[in-house]
Amino acid sequence: WTPEVVVIFLEFFAWGLLTTPMLTVLHETFPQHTFLMNGLIQGVKGLLSFMSAPLIGALSDVWGRRSFLLVTVFFTCAPIPLMRLSPWWYFAMISMSGAFSVTFSVIFAYVADVTEERERSTAYGLVSATFAASLVTSPAIGAYLSAWYGDNLVVLVATLIALADICFILLAVPESLPDKMRLNTWGAPFTWEQADPFASLRKVGQDSTVLLICITVFLSYLPEAGQYSSFFLYLRQVINFSSTTIAVFIGVVGILSIVAQTLFLTLLMRTLGNKNTVLLGLGFQILQLAWYGFGSEPWMMWAAGAVAAMSSITFPAVSALVSQSADPDKQGVVQGMITGIRGLCNGLGPALYGFVFFLFNVELNTMDPIQDQYSIDPLPLHGPTERALIPGPPFLLGACTVVVAFLVALFIPEKPSSSSSSASQLSLSDKPRPDSKESLSSLAGIHINTPLPGSDEETPPTASDEDFEPLLQDSIV
């Protein structure tokens, strides 16, 4: 049990409650071109996350994780009370809250602070599984409360849970960044170059291993982000799932994801290794997206959902992979960089899916699939003929991008360093050696797990470190 798990659970449980009311408010506010407008709203939010993630990650390395955990959770949950008060302000706030919706980067940096490197992939899997667990029951509970008591009560309960999350951070979450790291950097000059997301992308290009990881993240998460933004609308309109069926679907897939990210992830990391686990997860994702794209029957959606649960092992495995490339005092920077790329995908993915749905005349015209679906706009009358061949065109496009991500991931080195003896000792030894290495690195700033041209013994832990690790250069070091 760790505090960050509770923080993630409460935040996304509150948003999970709003799954059914969100569909209703979205359609009431934008009765025409609902997929397209949903994509644009999520697009603005994702682009703002991309712009702000490097800044928040770098600042959390300097000033600590706890304060930024509080800020990100507060602003991520700020739009919730506005759902019934003013839908237009609600959607505007969702878009603007993207500037702080980077909770995962702070959480993963927090986990890196408090865990050994060999345990990190398991810890990341636990955090991702907690995210899935928060969505197991919350949509069903939200749908039930909405049906019996109205959407206002659901919004009230979600608001109270968000407030409880904020109070929990204030009262029960300790600071994870060691005092000596914060004291050494508190008065250090902070440059805007660190806050520039494009500067972080330029640094990525100088490190081939991290560049390959980031390209893999971008190509694999782009369709996933689009899928998250429109999939429940798609199930309801095209596959004719009811609200109750959607809630059960989310719960079943969530339970399977928990199993995949705890039991299966730990087993696969030990037997196949980090890189092969990522490749396996990408393979499941390709199968899942292709099935969603061609599937037209409800049972196909359920089968593809089971495959989707297995594909959820990709993100924690990738986060562990990139974490191995970072100094203990630079976890916020690298996790912020990955979260920034995911934020960029959160901007482009929903907009891309919404545009492709628009091109293929797949529109949400009424929330009740039993009624006449084509009474509002005569254009989608041709929809059933086209959808009979390819019901979900964006999912097939997503499967193609994940195939490219799989090919890129093949070139990721198996280990961050093959020549550094200390890196191999850290990853393979079960002795107390990692503790001493990690304590030494936190004091001296030695890059244990980064690819160095020479061995650690021959390289002094001074300015030469920066020459060999361009990704992690900044003025604080």
Side-chain angles (χ1 to χ4, degrees):
W1 181 88
T2 48
E4 69 273 8
V5 170
V6 178
V7 173
I8 284 289
F9 181 85
L10 291 177
E11 176 182 337
F12 289 98
F13 188 88
W15 277 106
L17 288 173
L18 301 178
T19 302
T20 298
M22 173 82 165
L23 296 179
T24 305
V25 173
L26 190 63
H27 174 65
E28 290 174 352
T29 310
F30 307 106
Q32 299 292 326
H33 308 312
T34 311
F35 278 116
L36 186 62
M37 291 306 300
N38 180 51
L40 292 177
I41 292 168
Q42 298 296 329
V44 173
K45 178 180 179 181
L47 290 174
L48 288 175
S49 297
F50 164 69
M51 301 296 289
S52 65
L55 170 62
I56 293 178
L59 287 176
S60 74
D61 283 332
V62 180
W63 295 334
R65 318 287 186 209
R66 183 172 176 268
S67 56
F68 286 96
L69 200 57
L70 183 64
V71 169
T72 56
V73 170
F74 176 81
F75 282 100
T76 301
C77 297
I80 292 177
L82 298 174
M83 177 179 279
R84 300 308 297 178
L85 297 177
S86 173
W88 283 97
W89 274 108
Y90 168 71
F91 289 114
M93 280 295 293
I94 282 183
S95 299
M96 302 311 295
S97 70
F100 297 95
S101 297
V102 290
T103 308
F104 265 106
S105 67
V106 183
I107 286 288
F108 280 167
Y110 191 107
V111 170
D113 292 339
V114 298
T115 58
E116 299 285 342
E117 183 193 325
R118 61 189 175 187
E119 302 169 353
R120 207 163 287 164
S121 61
T122 302
Y124 287 159
L126 180 61
V127 172
S128 298
T130 302
F131 166 69
S134 67
L135 298 178
V136 169
T137 55
S138 56
I141 294 174
Y144 176 81
L145 293 176
S146 176
W148 287 93
Y149 302 103
D151 288 348
N152 290 335
L153 179 65
V154 182
V155 173
L156 176 62
V157 173
T159 304
L160 293 176
I161 292 175
L163 289 174
D165 196 12
I166 294 170
C167 293
F168 179 81
I169 297 173
L170 288 171
L171 299 176
V173 177
E175 176 56 58
S176 65
L177 199 65
D179 288 338
K180 55 180 174 292
M181 287 189 184
R182 283 184 288 154
L183 291 175
N184 290 339
T185 56
W186 184 263
F190 185 83
T191 64
W192 283 108
E193 183 182 357
Q194 296 169 254
D196 182 4
F198 300 100
S200 68
L201 290 181
R202 287 192 295 271
K203 292 178 182 179
V204 167
Q206 301 171 15
D207 187 310
S208 59
T209 300
V210 179
L211 174 62
L212 292 173
I213 294 174
C214 288
I215 293 175
T216 302
V217 170
F218 178 80
L219 292 174
S220 64
Y221 194 69
L222 183 66
E224 188 174 337
Q227 175 184 322
Y228 284 155
S229 70
S230 59
F231 188 58
F232 302 138
L233 289 172
Y234 177 78
L235 286 178
R236 191 161 186 172
Q237 172 69 11
V238 181
I239 311 298
N240 291 345
F241 273 29
S242 67
S243 298
T244 304
T245 309
I246 291 176
V248 174
F249 181 91
I250 297 172
V252 171
V253 174
I255 291 173
L256 294 176
S257 297
I258 295 170
V259 175
Q261 295 173 15
T262 51
L263 300 179
F264 282 105
L265 179 65
T266 304
L267 183 64
L268 291 171
M269 291 289 285
R270 289 177 180 172
T271 55
L272 299 181
N274 208 325
K275 175 187 171 182
N276 291 332
T277 302
V278 173
L279 292 174
L280 183 63
L282 293 175
F284 280 120
Q285 189 178 358
I286 295 169
L287 178 59
Q288 159 226 329
L289 287 168
W291 213 338
Y292 281 149
F294 284 113
S296 57
E297 298 295 329
W299 72 265
M300 296 180 179
M301 297 298 105
W302 287 96
V307 178
M310 283 303 301
S311 72
S312 64
I313 63 176
T314 305
F315 180 49
V318 166
S319 297
L321 199 60
V322 76
S323 176
Q324 294 172 2
S325 309
D327 234 16
D329 61 345
K330 287 288 166 283
Q331 293 294 329
V333 173
V334 294
Q335 296 298 345
M337 180 184 63
I338 294 295
T339 301
I341 291 175
R342 285 166 61 89
L344 181 62
C345 293
N346 282 329
L348 298 177
L352 177 64
Y353 268 53
F355 183 66
V356 174
F357 273 128
F358 176 71
L359 288 180
F360 281 79
N361 296 329
V362 182
E363 283 295 328
L364 182 67
N365 298 304
T366 175
M367 292 305 293
D368 188 356
I370 300 175
Q371 300 173 358
D372 184 9
Q373 299 182 37
Y374 310 110
S375 58
I376 295 179
D377 186 358
L379 180 63
L381 277 172
H382 304 287
T385 303
E386 295 169 2
R387 292 198 300 268
L389 182 62
I390 304 178
F395 300 112
L396 290 183
L397 179 64
C400 295
T401 65
V402 181
V403 169
V404 180
F406 185 91
L407 296 176
V408 172
L410 288 173
F411 294 95
I412 297 175
E414 185 68 34
K415 295 178 182 178
S417 172
S418 58
S419 59
S420 172
S421 60
S422 64
S424 61
Q425 289 171 352
L426 184 62
S427 61
L428 298 176
S429 173
D430 293 326
K431 304 301 179 184
R433 184 182 299 271
D435 296 344
S436 61
K437 289 284 184 183
E438 185 154 339
S439 62
L440 176 64
S441 68
S442 63
L443 291 170
I446 300 175
H447 294 239
I448 294 179
N449 301 301
T450 51
L452 303 180
S455 65
D456 283 352
E457 288 76 9
E458 298 171 354
T459 307
T462 55
S464 60
D465 261 345
E466 297 180 359
D467 296 334
F468 296 138
E469 188 57 39
L471 172 67
L472 301 179
Q473 288 181 12
D474 59 34
S475 60
I476 294 177
V477 176

